[in-house]
């Protein structure tokens, strides 16, 4: 492919699409110098009419499939989201011999094995830096910068909306719904923010990171998933009193028994770097045998930061149309599935909050149950009685225990006549190993 310009077709002109157009227009001279040719938007696909948008000289079509068929397009940028039309669109673009850039983590997590294999057969690139952690170049870091390493762990804060909500609730005592609507206004949240809240968005990103880190096929069903809706203001407060911050983490870890993949709210000691990554920032830690520990921090959501990654992919394609290696580090046919550690076998320290009758023998009954389950207690505190007559919250931290053992202990504790069935159980990660 040799043209006077790399011809770009953009499908989807929401927050990220508009920010991408703005960078391509605003930085056109610098980008031409860096790429050796202009990045020229020749076609825009938008299913809705936006009379106030300025697309310059680009042809505009209401049918995004037109962009995939347009002979004046070398690279299709998919920013429409979802996994149905976007799937058909990317397939068509690849069939038409076009490179693809996408920010669509759900699509890559669910259909990436097939789409990337198709692109490999067709000799075109499919790139998705913007799909994980917004502006942080974590895909490039895993594919290229740490390619010499055996990676044992990738972990971090990989949803900007969730981190923004938890930070505002913790530091300003704001209400969940109030912060969520601000995150939507700021363009951080997904069109349907359910995925930001219930951990699905982070799980999609973790699937992609784990594939790159461990050379395994993308497996959308692999992560154990819990969302920030499981965290109450009381838990944020008690965690703080104990010297912890609550963050929503994605963790993919290579263990002797297999690979652990999980996303969940997590207590982290406030002395640790990840505990202090606040607001819309994301942070991804990579542990490699040669490089040791790397932590990349940056804006995890928002139009400009995400568009920075979209444009980085376009620049890479312009500079090197033949590609800089397989999209997932090795060709899809060489990805090798590894056993997954079942949720019940994943061990960690734990935070537990429950409500029980405000009487002296309750804490000793709870201690006895934990001891009988072989769970060490790091701290157990009965708080002052709540407004609920005769009841008091009990907050405890345990030593390392498998989830199945912890679940058994919690069932027994909740079976006591003195305890309420409502209990909060969150993992604690000290990142000491
Ligand atoms: N809704 C996502 C987030 C956007 O908040 O992280 C970036 O992937």
């Amino acid at each position: 492919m040799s043209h006077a310009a790399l011809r770009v077709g953009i499908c989807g002109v929401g927050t990220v699409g508009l920010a991408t157009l703005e960078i391509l227009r605003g930085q056109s001279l610098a980008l031409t110098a860096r790429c050796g040719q202009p990045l020229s938007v020749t076609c825009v696909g938008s299913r809705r009419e936006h009379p106030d948008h300025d697309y310059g000289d680009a042809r505009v079509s209401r049918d995004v499939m037109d962009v995939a068929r347009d002979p004046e397009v070398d690279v299709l940028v998919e920013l429409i989201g979802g996994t149905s039309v976007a799937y058909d669109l990317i397939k068509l673009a690849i069939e038409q011999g076009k490179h693809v850039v996408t920010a669509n983590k759900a699509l890559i997590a669910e259909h990436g094995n097939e789409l990337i294999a198709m692109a490999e057969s067709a000799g075109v690139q499919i790139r998705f830096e913007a799909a994980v952690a917004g502006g942080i170049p974590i895909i490039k870091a895993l594919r290229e910068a740490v390619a010499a390493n055996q990676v044992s762990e990738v972990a971090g804060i990989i949803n900007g909306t969730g981190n923004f909500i938890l930070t505002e609730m913790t530091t300003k005592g704001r209400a969940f719904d109030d912060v969520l609507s601000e995150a939507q206004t700021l363009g951080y949240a997904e069109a349907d923010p359910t995925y930001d809240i219930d951990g699905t968005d982070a799980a999609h990103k973790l699937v992609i990171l784990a594939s790159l880190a461990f050379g395994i096929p993308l497996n959308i069903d692999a992560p154990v998933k819990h969302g920030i809706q499981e965290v109450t203001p009381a838990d944020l407060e008690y965690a703080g009193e104990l010297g912890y911050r609550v963050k929503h983490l994605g963790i993919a870890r290579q263990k002797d028994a297999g690979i652990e993949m999980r996303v969940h709210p997590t207590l982290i000691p406030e002395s640790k770097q990840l505990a202090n990554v606040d607001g819309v920032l994301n942070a991804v830690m990579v542990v490699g045998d040669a490089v040791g520990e790397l932590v990349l921090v940056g804006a995890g959501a928002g139009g400009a930061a995400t568009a920075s990654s979209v444009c980085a992919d376009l620049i890479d394609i312009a500079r090197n149309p033949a590609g800089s290696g397989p999209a997932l580090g090795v060709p899809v046919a060489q990805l090798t599935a590894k056993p997954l550690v079942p949720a019940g076998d994943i061990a960690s320290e734990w935070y537990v909050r429950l409500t029980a009758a405000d009487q002296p023998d309750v804490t000793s009954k709870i201690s006895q149950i934990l001891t009988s389950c072989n769970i060490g207690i790091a701290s157990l505190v009965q708080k002052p009685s709540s407004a609920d007559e005769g009841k008091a919250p009990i907050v405890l931290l345990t030593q390392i225990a498998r989830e199945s053992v912890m679940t058994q202990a919690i069932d027994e504790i909740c079976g006591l006549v003195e305890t309420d069935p409502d209990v909060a159980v969150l993992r604690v990660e000290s990142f000491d190993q």
Side-chain angles (χ1 to χ4, degrees), residues 105 159-161 188-190 196 201 205 300-301:
K105 51 260 163 157
N159 181 271
T161 302
Y188 301 158
E190 297 301 295
D196 293 303
D201 179 78
K205 293 165 178 169

Side-chain angles (χ1 to χ4, degrees), residues 105-113 195 199-200 202-208 210-211 216-226 259-263 338-343 346:
K105 51 260 163 157
L107 184 70
I108 295 296
E110 191 172 343
H111 296 293
N113 296 317
Y195 279 9
T200 302
H204 290 153
K205 293 165 178 169
L206 190 70
V207 165
I208 299 171
S211 176
I216 57 176
L218 297 155
N219 179 355
I220 197 165
D221 299 319
V224 175
K225 189 181 79 176
H226 297 273
I259 292 173
E260 284 180 6
M261 284 176 67
R262 48 199 168 101
V263 300
K338 294 182 181 163
L340 294 167
V341 179
I346 298 179

Side-chain angles (χ1 to χ4, degrees), residues 14-70:
T15 307
V16 179
L18 283 183
T20 301
L21 284 162
E22 196 173 322
I23 292 176
L24 293 177
R25 187 178 304 136
Q27 299 298 323
S28 66
L29 286 179
L31 292 179
T32 301
R34 289 173 195 156
C35 299
Q37 63 185 315
L39 303 183
S40 164
V41 179
T42 50
C43 190
V44 169
S46 170
R47 288 176 286 184
R48 261 173 285 154
E49 205 154 332
H50 297 282
D52 49 329
H53 290 182
D54 173 10
Y55 304 128
D57 296 334
R59 181 173 82 81
V60 181
S61 174
R62 294 280 155 268
D63 178 0
V64 290
M65 298 297 165
D66 274 355
V67 183
R69 291 188 202 99
D70 188 337

